[in-house]
Amino acid sequence: MSRKARSGQAGGSRWSLNFSKVEKVNSDCLPPGFQQDFSVVEQNTSKAASRDRRTAKAQLKSKKAWEVAKSPMGGIFMTMFMLWLSGSSVNIFSISITMYSLINPIKAIFNVSSGFKRFEEPNTSLLAQKFVYIFFQLVGFSIALYKAYYLGLLPSAADWSSYLTVKQAEEITSGVFVVSK
């Protein structure tokens, strides 16, 4: 038995589809809201329509960039809560949470360009969004820095007092105090 005899057609297989010709379908069979005109893609797009699409895309990217810039604001409250939960005593958990809270904003500031790379457009500047992002990261860093100072992990004036020289007095006074009864 040959392949042509099995397929039932002389020129091809039975499971082939031909999308080259468009057939009109009865409108009673179509789902509500379906329009037949949308199935055919127009080849001629006007310059104004493409410009509108580009500006809409640029506005959407700018909006998403602002969302990314403001996203560390929610992390600030979580950082404050975690630092509060770690307690005020110096132990391995409070030190590790504090160091984690100090290191993450620094990493985020150094990676700000790669974080906003997907939103870059030739004619737009993301400088304001980057500044807002860096500002919120610095706020989180300052909160963690305060916690590190509060735990005594940062040096203070008391840590350096042993290196201060003791001044010698230039004059000595003495006296006698007589009490009479």
Side-chain angles (χ1 to χ4, degrees):
M1 203 172 179
S2 72
R3 181 174 169 90
K4 289 183 181 179
R6 274 188 283 154
S7 67
Q9 296 176 359
S13 81
R14 3 176 229 201
W15 301 106
S16 67
L17 295 172
N18 185 5
F19 291 112
S20 61
K21 62 180 179 177
V22 178
E23 297 178 9
K24 281 289 190 182
V25 179
N26 187 2
S27 64
D28 295 337
C29 300
L30 298 176
F34 180 79
Q35 294 179 357
Q36 187 74 22
D37 297 339
F38 287 143
S39 63
V40 179
V41 178
E42 277 188 38
Q43 296 297 329
N44 293 341
T45 57
S46 66
K47 290 182 182 179
S50 66
R51 189 175 336 120
D52 290 342
R53 275 187 268 139
R54 277 183 284 177
T55 57
K57 185 178 178 182
Q59 288 174 350
L60 180 65
K61 282 187 174 186
S62 176
K63 182 180 175 184
K64 293 294 182 182
W66 276 111
E67 289 176 8
V68 169
K70 294 177 184 177
S71 65
M73 189 170 31
I76 289 172
F77 297 110
M78 180 58 88
T79 301
M80 288 171 54
F81 181 67
M82 290 299 295
L83 290 173
W84 176 74
L85 282 178
S86 69
S88 61
S89 63
V90 179
N91 56 40
I92 191 70
F93 298 113
S94 63
I95 292 173
S96 64
I97 289 173
T98 305
M99 289 303 140
Y100 172 79
S101 300
L102 283 168
I103 291 171
N104 277 346
I106 294 171
K107 282 184 191 176
I109 289 171
F110 283 127
N111 294 327
V112 72
S113 294
S114 63
F116 285 94
K117 188 173 231 53
R118 61 185 171 171
F119 303 117
E120 289 179 356
E121 287 286 323
N123 297 332
T124 59
S125 174
L126 297 175
L127 199 58
Q129 289 94 334
K130 289 179 181 180
F131 279 140
V132 169
Y133 183 79
I134 290 172
F135 171 75
F136 284 128
Q137 292 295 342
L138 288 175
V139 169
F141 180 75
S142 63
I143 291 169
L145 203 61
Y146 173 77
K147 176 70 175 190
Y149 177 77
Y150 180 71
L151 287 176
L153 299 175
L154 296 178
S156 62
D159 295 334
W160 302 101
S161 63
S162 63
Y163 296 112
L164 296 175
T165 59
V166 178
K167 290 186 177 182
Q168 298 294 327
E170 292 182 9
E171 64 182 58
I172 298 173
T173 60
S174 63
V176 178
F177 187 78
V178 179
V179 179
S180 62
K181 287 189 180 190

